[in-house]
Amino acid sequence: MSDLHTGYKPDTVSVITAGNDIDGALQKRLQRAGFRIQQLLPAELDQLRPGSIVINASVCADDQGMPEALQVAKRLAETPCQHVIHLSSYQVFAGGEQRRYDEDEVADPQARSGRQWLACERALASLENLTILRFGWMVDSNQDALLGRVLRGFVAGEPLALDGLNSGNPATVLDMSRVTVAVAQQLASGASSGGVYHYGSSDSCTAIEFALEVVERAQSFHDEERFAQLSTLEDSEQRDRSVVLACGKLRDVFGIQQHSWRQGLTRQVELWLERLGAEKSA
């Protein structure tokens, strides 16, 4: 670990891991910032270093990991920490209104996954030293996430019908780590602005709009003509659950600016295509 004197108090960040790409992205960003890092599995909370800033990413695992994430939140609420940064989701809102949802909006999820995200937030609500960061839908390398499904369909030449109704402002894993670590840096430098904050891309999109952009990037890596078979779901198959997050509070309090989800997308597509190529040749 770096011996640089960063002036952070505390200078240790404990990350409760998600078991996916978020862990590595947070670790690299924290290392560059000069923090001492402790990575813990959800079952290792008894090893938490006293007085550290805790980043709780356990809820970002998957739906199957939600019960364990709720237990982590309940245990953290009873653990002495300098500060807890809890990663959460736009899914705490029911959505469906053509406006931006700010932090004062009443969370009222209708879907099961949204209720699980909100339960984790509420389990931590008694903490005074709590910052909740709600992010737009994630762009990552999870096989079931939209990016992976689009590129698998592109490579295999299989048709894919996607949502063209619901809008959101997605966030990449790298952008999520940038925002989270920037908040940790300011808290470790004396900021005392806990509370709930929203972050998502500076530009919103639907799933089909996102997919078309991904395919355009993917086509640049292929010499031969290759086309995606994308279509939009019929309106009868869906209802409007749009959730576009308002992110002004994070900018005003912490000075953190929004990025576009298009930034770095080409590199993500390239890495996914390499992964799919390795799977095919294995």
Side-chain angles (χ1 to χ4, degrees):
M1 182 62 205
S2 171
D3 292 326
L4 292 174
H5 297 290
T6 61
Y8 296 143
K9 294 181 180 180
D11 65 354
T12 297
V13 173
S14 299
V15 179
I16 314 303
T17 58
N20 54 33
D21 284 2
I22 292 172
D23 301 338
L26 283 171
Q27 181 181 20
K28 290 178 182 177
R29 179 73 65 165
L30 287 165
Q31 284 176 334
R32 288 206 301 269
F35 281 108
R36 300 179 187 276
I37 307 165
Q38 180 188 32
Q39 284 194 312
L40 297 174
L41 297 172
E44 297 175 334
L45 276 181
D46 57 328
Q47 301 176 32
L48 189 65
R49 293 174 185 167
S52 62
I53 292 176
V54 176
I55 296 176
N56 181 26
S58 63
V59 74
C60 301
D62 52 35
D63 287 345
Q64 287 70 37
M66 278 294 190
E68 185 176 44
L70 180 57
Q71 293 306 311
V72 168
K74 290 178 177 179
R75 289 185 62 188
L76 280 177
E78 301 173 349
T79 303
C81 307
Q82 184 74 13
H83 206 99
V84 173
I85 301 173
H86 175 72
L87 308 188
S88 191
S89 170
Y90 74 100
Q91 294 183 64
V92 300
F93 299 117
E97 299 185 33
Q98 298 302 314
R99 58 184 175 82
R100 294 184 179 270
Y101 288 70
D102 64 25
E103 292 81 357
D104 294 329
E105 184 77 26
V106 176
D108 183 27
Q110 302 301 307
R112 178 173 177 269
S113 59
R115 293 193 295 269
Q116 291 173 320
W117 284 98
L118 185 58
C120 290
E121 287 189 14
R122 288 176 171 169
L124 292 162
S126 61
L127 290 176
E128 294 182 2
N129 55 345
L130 173 67
T131 296
I132 294 175
L133 298 178
R134 293 176 181 151
F135 290 92
W137 50 272
M138 295 306 302
V139 179
D140 60 22
S141 64
N142 185 302
Q143 294 191 38
D144 296 323
L146 181 58
L147 178 61
R149 290 192 291 122
V150 170
L151 288 175
R152 284 185 183 279
F154 172 75
V155 170
E158 298 174 348
L160 185 64
L162 295 171
D163 182 359
L165 176 64
N166 296 288
S167 294
N169 45 345
T172 66
V173 168
L174 292 179
D175 215 14
M176 170 188 263
S177 66
R178 174 184 71 89
V179 170
T180 304
V181 174
V183 170
Q185 286 179 280
Q186 295 193 46
L187 292 173
S189 300
S192 57
S193 300
V196 179
Y197 298 88
H198 289 173
Y199 182 81
S201 170
S202 56
D203 44 352
S204 60
C205 64
T206 64
I208 193 70
E209 289 168 341
F210 175 83
L212 290 170
E213 187 79 20
V214 168
V215 167
E216 183 177 328
R217 309 295 177 95
Q219 286 172 328
S220 67
F221 292 101
H222 289 269
D223 294 331
E224 73 277 11
E225 291 289 335
R226 187 188 293 268
F227 300 96
Q229 300 182 53
L230 299 175
S231 61
T232 303
L233 290 170
E234 297 295 330
D235 289 347
S236 61
E237 300 179 53
Q238 57 182 335
R239 67 183 183 87
D240 193 347
R241 294 188 177 90
S242 297
V243 179
V244 177
L245 298 176
C247 306
K249 182 180 175 183
L250 190 70
R251 181 195 62 235
D252 294 343
V253 175
F254 291 108
I256 297 173
Q257 301 296 322
Q258 290 174 273
H259 287 181
S260 169
W261 56 266
R262 293 176 172 82
Q263 291 180 241
L265 182 62
T266 300
R267 179 56 177 161
Q268 291 183 74
V269 169
E270 182 181 20
L271 291 172
W272 246 108
L273 292 175
E274 290 175 357
R275 176 179 176 179
L276 292 173
E279 291 177 0
K280 186 176 180 180
S281 59

